[in-house]
């Protein structure tokens, strides 16, 4: 963590709202990229980032830092929020599908041609968090364990299971292309 980041974090912990703005400016683009990987709707991705920063402010006294940075906590919060938004969106679309007017026009949807994002979204939440933090974001297993509050061995086993499931899913997807 740089001196500016450390100072902003201390100001935030003390209740300085402008420090939240400083941290937002520092991390917003990275968190937005992360959210767009998990969500098909760009507006939902923006909402996930906004909710993460709201939660950072609300829970500032209990946030776990990794190497002095709130970024891993923010990434995990964005991932959890994305899952919640996706789940509520599915419920809403199912409700709309039951209405007579919904059958006239289908909602536009983004298409993941590679199938990787769809396979990632099918993983259990614990495995998905480990894959996102360790593989997509590049954090060491020790930091992932600290962020998620689980042992390093659990991180390793979840990562192994997730890779196996993703490999099987991608093999099945490739077989369907031929």
């Amino acid at each position: 963590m740089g001196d500016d980041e450390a100072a902003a974090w201390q100001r935030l912990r003390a209740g300085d709202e402008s420090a939240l703005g400083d941290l937002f400016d520092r991390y917003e683009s990275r968190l937005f990229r992360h959210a767009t990987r998990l969500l098909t709707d760009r507006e939902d991705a923006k909402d996930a980032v906004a909710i993460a920063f709201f939660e950072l402010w609300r829970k500032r006294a209990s946030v776990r830092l990794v190497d002095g940075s709130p970024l891993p906590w923010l990434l995990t919060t964005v991932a959890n929020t994305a899952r919640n938004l996706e789940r509520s969106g599915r419920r809403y679309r199912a409700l709309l599908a039951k209405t007579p007017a919904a059958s006239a026009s289908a909602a536009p949807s983004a298409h993941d041609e590679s199938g990787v994002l769809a396979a990632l979204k099918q993983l259990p939440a614990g495995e998905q968090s480990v894959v996102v933090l360790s593989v997509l974001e590049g954090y060491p297993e020790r930091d992932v364990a600290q962020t998620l509050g689980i042992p390093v061995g659990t991180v390793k086993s979840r990562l192994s299971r997730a890779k196996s499931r993703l490999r099987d899913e991608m093999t099945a997807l490739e077989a369907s292309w031929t």
Side-chain angles (χ1 to χ4, degrees), residues 81-140:
T81 302
R83 274 193 297 279
N84 291 340
L85 289 170
E86 193 69 27
R87 194 172 25 247
S88 66
R90 276 194 309 269
R91 285 192 302 259
Y92 181 69
R93 287 187 298 275
L95 179 64
L96 283 179
K98 292 179 183 179
T99 63
S103 61
S105 64
S109 63
H111 181 64
D112 172 23
E113 291 185 24
S114 68
V116 175
L117 292 178
L120 180 64
K121 289 178 187 177
Q122 290 177 3
L123 291 176
E127 290 177 13
Q128 191 179 91
S129 295
V130 169
V131 168
V132 167
L133 288 173
S134 64
V135 176
L136 297 179
E137 292 298 328
Y139 283 99

Side-chain angles (χ1 to χ4, degrees), residues 51-162:
I51 291 168
F53 278 100
F54 173 76
E55 289 298 309
L56 180 68
W57 174 258
R58 195 171 70 83
K59 296 180 178 183
R60 64 188 178 271
S62 63
V63 169
R64 288 189 208 191
L65 301 181
V66 175
D67 292 334
S69 175
L71 181 60
W73 186 91
L74 285 165
L75 289 164
T76 301
T77 303
V78 165
N80 291 337
T81 302
R83 274 193 297 279
N84 291 340
L85 289 170
E86 193 69 27
R87 194 172 25 247
S88 66
R90 276 194 309 269
R91 285 192 302 259
Y92 181 69
R93 287 187 298 275
L95 179 64
L96 283 179
K98 292 179 183 179
T99 63
S103 61
S105 64
S109 63
H111 181 64
D112 172 23
E113 291 185 24
S114 68
V116 175
L117 292 178
L120 180 64
K121 289 178 187 177
Q122 290 177 3
L123 291 176
E127 290 177 13
Q128 191 179 91
S129 295
V130 169
V131 168
V132 167
L133 288 173
S134 64
V135 176
L136 297 179
E137 292 298 328
Y139 283 99
E141 291 169 347
R142 176 185 51 83
D143 292 348
V144 173
Q146 183 181 355
T147 299
L148 298 175
I150 58 176
V152 174
T154 303
V155 170
K156 290 179 180 183
S157 62
R158 286 182 183 176
L159 188 57
S160 175
R161 276 194 308 272

Side-chain angles (χ1 to χ4, degrees), residues 40-51:
T40 54
D41 184 14
R42 188 174 175 82
E43 295 305 313
D44 282 348
K46 289 179 185 178
D47 289 346
V49 172
I51 291 168

